[in-house]
Amino acid sequence: MWNSRGTAVTILCAAPGISRIAVSWAAPAAGAPVVTSYVITLLPGGRVVQVAAGRNGTTIADLDNGIEYALTIQAVNEVGMSEPSAPVLATPTLGEEPEVQRLIVAYEPGVPTAEAPN
């Protein structure tokens, strides 16, 4: 049940990338107080990211690779902020190469070239 500030938002996914985390959340239920924005807090460091209402995801960039971050999100309305979500953990990668999408292999002269499927 919503109080005047709203209930906690649920984080659906926190997907790490190189120096970033993409986070998505479930929008509040219909009939809840109108959300004017969302506030995401990252620990360690206490970084705060504000996201406009009407969105249910964002990417937070310029993070330290290899550091595990705990993310929480709060909905903001005209009265104040909801309780924070349960924290979700994510660790930006250490800069590994992206997954290979296409690979062509030539074994040796005279052997036909093979292409791996996508």
Side-chain angles (χ1 to χ4, degrees):
M1 188 74 179
W2 282 73
N3 62 32
S4 58
R5 295 182 304 142
T7 57
V9 177
T10 300
I11 295 177
L12 299 176
C13 179
I18 299 172
S19 300
R20 67 183 180 276
I21 298 172
V23 60
S24 64
W25 56 90
V34 175
V35 173
T36 57
S37 65
Y38 295 96
V39 173
I40 301 169
T41 303
L42 290 87
L43 294 174
R47 183 170 171 187
V48 175
V49 177
Q50 190 159 7
V51 180
R55 296 187 56 194
N56 63 350
T58 193
T59 298
I60 303 166
D62 300 321
L63 298 175
D64 292 328
N65 292 321
I67 301 295
E68 183 177 67
Y69 290 91
L71 292 83
T72 59
I73 186 169
Q74 293 172 278
V76 179
N77 65 27
E78 67 279 353
V79 177
M81 295 174 74
S82 70
E83 293 298 318
S85 68
V88 173
L89 303 176
T91 304
T93 62
L94 296 173
E96 289 87 4
E97 291 297 316
E99 180 180 332
V100 174
Q101 297 298 316
R102 183 174 179 206
L103 177 63
I104 298 176
V105 179
Y107 297 100
E108 58 187 52
V111 175
T113 301
E115 184 173 342
N118 287 343

